[in-house]
Amino acid sequence: MKYFIVTFGCQMNVHDSEKIAGILENLGYKCGQNREEADIIVFNTCAIREGAEDRVFGNVGALKKQKKINPNLIIVVCGCMTQKASTAQYMKETFPFVDIVIGTHNVPNLASYIMKVKAKQQKRMLELWEEGEIDESLPYSRSSGDNAWVNIMQGCNNFCTYCIVPYVRGREKSREKENILNEIKQLVLTGKYKKITLLGQNVNSYGKDLSPSVSFAKLLKDICAIEGDFTISFMTSHPKDLTDEVIETIAVEDKIEKYIHLPAQSGDNRILHLMNRKYTRETYLEIIRKIRERVPNCRITSDFIVGFPTESEEEFLHTMSLVEEVRFDSIFAFMYSPRENTVAAKMDGQITEEVKNERVNKLLALNKKIQMEDGKK
């Protein structure tokens, strides 16, 4: 029996797919090379932007013919997109050949869902649990070469007004520090993994919910104390939680990669306030100054959203000027995409696609120009 997993979205989803692969391999499945030879196909979905959802619908729809040829093929759709009840219901009604539709919090029970479908105990399944505790018992089938993803927390408490993550991933929950350290020790002992990448929607807020609390800087220091030849990186950081202690730890610890991905999202204070980012342009620039003072060789990258509701041309130019001032090593720029149930989706002053497209192209062109001038490409 063979499985094939199609992953959409961020590194968190990539790591979740490694978890799904581990569950399937425990059931006796082996990884297939393509969809055509698979006995079970899993779509691990993303809900960050509308385009990602459209790609999922297109990919799932294309399997109708394959399911007709092979009625025993099991099709699973899971992840952030299907954690939304409305989307999960739409998936069930529109694609009746899909066997299992589950959300982000149901993955630990995937094996039992598959066994029920195979045993014909239940023809189709739609399950959306509320968030629960972090399951430390699930296996992983790692597929990222000499890099090992390590989740240190899940969920997000920030509620940026454009972002759906708190609604589909739940609130912040940190893993116990000892569980993280033990996982990394085991990974290092194998000798296969030379890079450990820590994952979380906002790694800087790690440990605030633990009792007693543990700072992200303390976690980094303890990981660095593990014997072995490996480096550490992490993603993603929120500027409001990037402390001086974390910057200092990056500066002094040789095992930590000198790289920070620090999403700014906008260079205008009014737009940052509307986004509920909880920092100002000036605060962001001060953080950049501190990083470059203490870690002068640090690579800094960022994310930006253009065309946020009511964003004026002048406010967009403030974003352009921020990029010009900081001169990032690279940036990712996205057009604002309304997401269901988020505050920004209900705001007046939605920007046209034409204007958003024009602005994102200008921003990317500026970044390309800066990289050429600074010899970063």
Side-chain angles (χ1 to χ4, degrees), residues 7 20 48 78 229 265 289 334 353:
T7 306
I20 292 166
I48 293 296
C78 64
D229 179 21
Q265 305 301 6
R289 185 195 65 75
F334 307 96
E353 292 300 308

Side-chain angles (χ1 to χ4, degrees), residues 159-313:
F159 286 92
C160 299
T161 57
Y162 54 80
C163 186
I164 200 170
V165 166
Y167 304 96
V168 295
R169 286 280 185 177
R171 305 299 176 269
E172 288 179 357
K173 284 189 174 67
S174 302
R175 291 178 63 194
E176 292 291 339
K177 186 182 72 167
E178 289 308 313
N179 290 336
I180 297 169
L181 295 178
N182 287 336
E183 179 180 351
I184 294 173
K185 286 174 185 175
Q186 292 303 312
L187 290 168
V188 172
L189 280 174
T190 67
K192 291 165 56 179
Y193 304 105
K194 299 302 179 185
K195 181 176 178 180
I196 305 296
T197 305
L198 309 179
L199 295 177
Q201 260 76 35
N202 177 18
V203 292
N204 301 132
S205 62
Y206 169 80
K208 291 181 180 180
D209 57 316
L210 297 177
S211 182
S213 63
V214 180
S215 71
F216 181 51
K218 172 61 175 168
L219 175 66
L220 287 173
K221 291 172 186 175
D222 287 353
I223 295 172
C224 289
I226 296 173
E227 292 186 10
D229 179 21
F230 66 96
T231 61
I232 305 164
S233 64
F234 55 85
M235 60 181 67
T236 291
S237 295
H238 193 297
K240 75 177 179 62
D241 295 311
L242 185 60
T243 64
D244 292 350
E245 187 184 10
V246 169
I247 295 171
E248 183 64 21
T249 303
I250 295 169
V252 301
E253 293 287 356
D254 292 338
K255 285 182 177 176
I256 300 179
E257 186 178 346
K258 309 313 178 192
Y259 166 62
I260 299 176
H261 183 66
L262 195 65
Q265 305 301 6
S266 175
D268 181 82
N269 283 339
R270 188 184 75 88
I271 296 298
L272 287 171
H273 178 71
L274 285 178
M275 288 177 167
N276 194 35
R277 290 293 286 173
K278 300 184 177 71
Y279 56 83
T280 64
R281 175 193 178 102
E282 292 74 23
T283 305
Y284 186 88
L285 288 171
E286 176 62 13
I287 295 168
I288 296 294
R289 185 195 65 75
K290 288 178 180 179
I291 294 170
R292 287 188 166 151
E293 183 178 276
R294 285 298 295 125
V295 198
N297 59 334
C298 188
R299 290 179 58 245
I300 304 174
T301 60
S302 192
D303 292 341
F304 290 91
I305 295 171
V306 303
F308 189 80
T310 74
E311 181 188 61
S312 68
E313 184 65 21

Side-chain angles (χ1 to χ4, degrees), residues 67-96:
K67 180 74 169 183
K68 196 169 184 179
I69 295 170
N70 178 15
N72 291 323
L73 170 68
I74 296 175
I75 301 173
V76 182
V77 183
C78 64
C80 293
M81 190 177 102
T82 45
Q83 182 62 36
K84 298 186 296 175
S86 59
T87 306
Q89 189 61 39
Y90 173 81
M91 179 69 65
K92 184 178 180 182
E93 293 170 356
T94 308
F95 304 100

Side-chain angles (χ1 to χ4, degrees), residues 130-143:
E130 295 299 317
E131 57 186 302
E133 297 304 311
I134 296 175
D135 192 331
E136 295 282 356
S137 66
L138 294 177
Y140 288 99
S141 178
R142 298 184 184 273
S143 57

